[in-house]
Amino acid sequence: MSSLTGTSHLQLASFVLGMIGWILCTISMGLVDWRVWHVDNTTIISSGIAWVGIWKVCFISYIHVSPGYEEQFCHKFSGYDSSIPGEIYAAQGLLVIAMVTGLLALTATIYALRNIYMGISRKTPITRFFLVGGFFYIFAGLCVLIPVSHNFYSVTHNQTIAFPPSYLMPSSPVAQEAGAAIPIGIIAAILLLLSGTICILCCNTSASGQGALLVPHLCMAKKSATYVS
């Protein structure tokens, strides 16, 4: 078992990278600071800063509380607000898909690693589960990369959003910058894509006859049988 553990490090590394990428994907999805807007009118937005996420928009206001206290107002995006850009709703759907497919990828790789470390000698199911997990990782990574890249493009080009009056938000900021959710999402996408690539490359290596990377104990057993004969 110790030799098996030492030779299957690539598969274990791909699982760890995929797990970290999936966790960062869920963190990025839940953060509100995708775009940080700086506004000049501080009558309502007291701090002059508003955070625009993919689920809601938030800002600090002192208007309804006593001086010296602060309160954060958030307004969730509604599917009935046609003035909200479609890429915000697309980002919601893509990140939910990424979370689900990433979880499926983790499940597939856990099953494959379980078979390796338990010494199960059926090579074909292990290879297939690693291959399925690799494609799920890559698909999840792309689902994260698309909305993250689009939001980063919107920030760099200072694009505006025509918020409804109920949001108490201006339609355009004086300036805007990328919030913490964007770099976290970029790292998540890179890790998921890297994890999927490692899984697929390991499967291709195994299929080409160099199976020591995927199921090393199978190859060792095959060689031992050849020497005995």
Side-chain angles (χ1 to χ4, degrees):
M1 180 62 69
S2 60
S3 61
L4 176 58
T5 304
T7 53
S8 60
H9 56 280
L10 280 179
Q11 294 78 18
L12 184 60
S14 69
F15 167 73
V16 173
L17 291 175
M19 181 175 61
I20 296 174
W22 181 79
I23 293 174
L24 292 178
C25 168
T26 57
I27 293 175
S28 176
M29 183 175 61
L31 291 176
V32 69
D33 52 343
W34 281 67
R35 311 183 198 181
V36 180
W37 279 27
H38 298 271
V39 300
D40 53 0
N41 187 353
T42 58
T43 303
I44 297 177
I45 305 176
S46 304
S47 62
I49 298 176
W51 299 275
V52 181
I54 62 172
W55 303 101
K56 57 186 178 180
V57 56
C58 297
F59 56 84
I60 301 296
S61 178
Y62 302 102
I63 192 170
H64 298 299
V65 295
S66 302
Y69 293 87
E70 62 182 30
E71 184 174 346
Q72 186 179 56
F73 288 91
C74 294
H75 200 299
K76 293 183 179 180
F77 295 134
S78 172
Y80 301 102
D81 296 330
S82 59
S83 57
I84 302 299
E87 63 264 18
I88 289 182
Y89 298 113
Q92 295 176 0
L94 287 173
L95 286 175
V96 170
I97 293 174
M99 187 177 65
V100 173
T101 53
L103 186 60
L104 292 175
L106 289 173
T107 303
T109 50
I110 287 173
Y111 179 80
L113 286 170
R114 166 190 170 274
N115 286 357
I116 289 179
Y117 285 95
M118 291 185 65
I120 298 175
S121 60
R122 291 176 296 175
K123 177 179 174 181
T124 301
I126 296 176
T127 305
R128 288 177 179 174
F129 273 96
F130 271 121
L131 191 62
V132 169
F135 280 115
F136 274 139
Y137 281 132
I138 291 178
F139 184 75
L142 292 175
C143 288
V144 176
L145 186 61
I146 292 173
V148 168
S149 301
H150 197 288
N151 276 272
F152 184 73
Y153 175 86
S154 300
V155 169
T156 56
H157 289 74
N158 199 26
Q159 291 186 352
T160 63
I161 300 177
F163 290 105
S166 60
Y167 283 64
L168 304 178
M169 281 283 295
S171 60
S172 62
V174 175
Q176 60 179 302
E177 59 188 31
I182 290 182
I184 292 176
I186 292 174
I187 296 174
I190 292 174
L191 292 179
L192 289 169
L193 293 173
L194 182 60
S195 176
T197 302
I198 292 175
C199 283
I200 293 175
L201 287 179
C202 287
C203 292
N204 290 337
T205 302
S206 176
S208 63
Q210 301 175 4
L213 286 177
L214 181 61
V215 193
H217 65 294
L218 293 179
C219 297
M220 293 169 61
K222 184 177 180 180
K223 290 180 180 179
S224 299
T226 303
Y227 291 146
V228 170
S229 61

